[in-house]
Amino acid sequence: MTATAPLASLADFSDRLSPMVVKELRQGLRTRMFGGVLLVLHLLLILITLVSGAARDAGETSWLLDGLSTLVLCVILPLRGFSALAEEIKANTLETLVLTRLSAARIVFGKWASLALQSLLVALSLMPYVVARYVFGGADLLGELGFLGLKWIAGMVIAAGIVCLSTQKQFWLRAVVVALVAFGPSVMAISYIFIRTFSPSGTSSFAVFGAAFGSLPPGWVLALAVIAGAAWLIFFFLSLAATRIAPAASHLAVVKRLVHAGTILILILVAWAATSLTTGLLIAAATVASMASMDALIETRNEVPSLLIPFYRRGLAGRVLAWFLTPGWPNGMVYSMAIACALALAALVMANAEAAMRAWMAVAGTWMCAALVHLICAGRWRDLLAPYIGMSLFLGVLQYFLMLIATTLAVATDVRWPGVLMPGTVEATLTFAKAKASSAEMEFLRLLGFGISCLWPLLLALIAALALHQTRHVRMEARHLAAES
């Protein structure tokens, strides 16, 4: 009995692991798809390794291993989370999981962690083939291992996004988004070739990005930046998914907004210290601000007084913070305006007014989409993620064609104003118009685009003010309960 006890303990997972992770990992490892993918993968890799050993130049077949590992780690395994939460929602089993005292965050994390551990197992199983490439072909072993780790990290970010997307019941919506992500780079490449064909020599719509990041930092700094960026993206997607299934009285939105604001603050401080990377880090901060604003602006209205009581108990400071951190999209609008203004001010101090307007217009695209969603879908959809995705797809297509038309007009004619009608097309239009337009005209177009982009937050602020007025009784009840306690 005593001899079999250690063996029994090794045959099961530790009690320290989350029960959701254990449940999902057990089910995932037992599926035929995981076993089939692992078996087929290794059979193909054995053949590739044998061919590489027999070839005169092993580099000729190296792309096979890279392509196969990328396909498995970044596409096939992450796609296993396509219906991770949708099946739970359709089967009405989320309530059963909540009864086990598992929070929404732990449920979502368990779904993702199962995919991450399965993918890590596959990535570790690929290491002998990487060593074989080093033996037969003299490849850089550390570089190959680092590239393999990078593909695993990329796959985990993709898996987090797919798990977040699985909160939507609509299968067609999930399929469309995944297809756009898969084929989007090809469309952008074709558009780039098309624009380059009609543009003057040396003009590129991506020149602003190349000039922004300048020289790359040292390798270890770049590696830390990749890991930190991937960690934030995973947190963003998983917390966004948890919000979709969390109860109305959850304070998850407060944690998310504090983390996003802290991330923007760290990026601004690093940009202040590393002057050579200031513009690139400001672009990263604007991306974080735009995504954080989207997250805050698609929340439901707060109609639970208990969410406000912890703020009102802290006096004046708590009441001020409540305007920014209280769950609900009307307060999310105040939060979004605050981080956008802080980012624009930082860009103005560290760079110039042009960088400040770029940062503002980066968030203005989110305000435009959110304003249209709240105008059209107010009161019709409880979860605004699906309408926001649909509106983003529509505006993305509209912006895509407008950018093509505007950049072509900016190069071939003197008509340049159509390119500043949408926040996302202003910079591309100005880049292509730079070769022919005067500095005064460039400044006018930038100010015109900035002025048009300011109309969207004003419209959204009016809608938010109306929503705050309709939920005034919630705040009054919360103040009364806070005073009594």
Side-chain angles (χ1 to χ4, degrees):
M1 191 72 177
T2 57
T4 59
L7 296 178
S9 63
L10 291 175
D12 203 353
F13 292 97
S14 172
D15 293 337
R16 297 180 181 179
L17 292 176
S18 171
M20 194 67 191
V21 177
V22 174
K23 166 185 170 293
E24 292 295 326
L25 188 57
R26 280 176 174 168
Q27 293 179 354
L29 292 175
R30 292 174 180 174
T31 57
R32 293 182 179 179
M33 181 177 180
F34 178 79
V37 168
L38 193 62
L39 180 61
V40 173
L41 173 65
H42 281 276
L43 288 176
L44 292 176
L45 288 176
I46 291 173
L47 293 176
I48 293 173
T49 304
L50 293 175
V51 172
S52 300
R56 295 182 179 179
D57 185 5
E60 296 179 356
T61 58
S62 62
W63 64 272
L64 292 173
L65 176 60
D66 293 332
L68 191 59
S69 59
T70 302
L71 177 66
V72 173
L73 294 177
C74 297
V75 179
I76 296 178
L77 291 178
L79 281 177
R80 297 189 66 197
F82 190 73
S83 300
L85 293 170
E87 292 180 354
E88 302 280 1
I89 295 173
K90 289 182 179 179
N92 292 324
T93 56
L94 283 177
E95 290 78 4
T96 306
L97 293 175
V98 172
L99 291 177
T100 62
R101 296 185 179 180
L102 286 174
S103 63
R106 294 183 68 186
I107 293 173
V108 172
F109 178 79
K111 297 284 187 180
W112 172 83
S114 172
L115 297 174
L117 293 175
Q118 294 174 51
S119 181
L120 180 61
L121 178 62
V122 174
L124 292 176
S125 69
L126 296 177
M127 293 181 66
Y129 303 99
V130 175
V131 176
R133 288 180 61 179
Y134 167 72
V135 174
F136 291 120
D140 182 11
L141 182 59
L142 293 179
E144 293 292 333
L145 292 176
F147 191 46
L148 180 62
L150 181 62
K151 286 187 282 190
W152 177 76
I153 292 175
M156 291 308 93
V157 174
I158 296 172
I162 291 177
V163 169
C164 175
L165 197 63
S166 71
T167 57
Q168 304 304 303
K169 295 181 180 180
Q170 298 87 350
F171 178 86
W172 65 269
L173 180 62
R174 287 178 277 144
V176 167
V177 174
V178 171
L180 287 177
V181 173
F183 297 104
S186 301
V187 176
M188 294 299 296
I190 294 173
S191 304
Y192 176 72
I193 296 173
F194 172 79
I195 294 175
R196 286 282 295 177
T197 303
F198 295 97
S199 64
S201 177
T203 303
S204 170
S205 61
F206 299 98
V208 63
F209 296 103
F213 289 94
S215 59
L216 293 176
W220 65 272
V221 176
L222 189 61
L224 289 177
V226 170
I227 294 173
W232 180 83
L233 284 172
I234 291 172
F235 172 82
F236 171 81
F237 286 124
L238 296 185
S239 61
L240 180 61
T243 306
R244 311 268 75 77
I245 63 174
S250 174
H251 282 87
L252 182 59
V254 179
V255 179
K256 292 191 301 181
R257 294 181 190 180
L258 289 175
V259 171
H260 298 329
T263 303
I264 295 173
L265 179 60
I266 292 174
L267 288 172
I268 291 175
L269 293 177
V270 175
W272 181 279
T275 54
S276 60
L277 300 174
T278 297
T279 308
L281 291 172
L282 288 177
I283 291 176
T287 303
V288 174
S290 179
M291 296 176 68
S293 298
M294 181 273 290
D295 189 2
L297 292 173
I298 60 176
E299 296 176 359
T300 57
R301 293 191 311 182
N302 175 30
E303 298 182 358
V304 182
S306 61
L307 292 174
L308 290 164
I309 293 177
F311 293 99
Y312 289 162
R313 285 176 179 172
R314 289 168 172 78
L316 179 60
R319 289 195 295 270
V320 172
L321 288 176
W323 283 100
F324 301 94
L325 300 179
T326 301
W329 80 265
N331 295 97
M333 177 59 192
V334 182
Y335 168 81
S336 176
M337 289 288 292
I339 60 176
C341 291
L343 180 60
L345 180 61
L348 179 62
V349 172
M350 288 187 289
N352 47 40
E354 182 178 321
M357 285 188 284
R358 285 178 179 174
W360 178 270
M361 285 186 287
V363 188
T366 304
W367 292 330
M368 176 179 64
C369 186
L372 295 175
V373 167
H374 286 289
L375 278 176
I376 298 173
C377 304
R380 301 178 183 178
W381 294 74
R382 176 174 175 79
D383 187 359
L384 295 178
L385 179 58
Y388 188 91
I389 293 175
M391 185 61 68
S392 297
L393 295 178
F394 171 75
L395 292 178
V397 173
L398 182 62
Q399 182 173 284
Y400 170 75
F401 286 106
L402 179 61
M403 184 182 68
L404 292 180
I405 295 172
T407 51
T408 304
L409 289 175
V411 171
T413 67
D414 294 330
V415 180
R416 303 178 180 91
W417 60 266
V420 300
L421 295 179
M422 298 181 70
T425 60
V426 174
E427 290 304 320
T429 302
L430 292 176
T431 302
F432 280 88
K434 191 174 183 179
K436 298 180 64 177
S438 62
S439 58
E441 185 179 0
M442 291 282 292
E443 187 66 21
F444 171 76
L445 289 174
R446 190 179 301 277
L447 290 175
L448 180 61
F450 176 75
I452 294 175
S453 67
C454 289
L455 298 177
W456 296 109
L458 291 177
L459 176 60
L460 190 59
L462 292 176
I463 304 173
L466 178 61
L468 287 172
H469 178 73
Q470 293 174 349
T471 56
R472 184 181 178 184
H473 65 283
V474 177
R475 295 188 295 277
M476 294 179 63
E477 184 178 352
R479 291 178 182 176
H480 180 69
L481 293 174
E484 288 183 349
S485 60

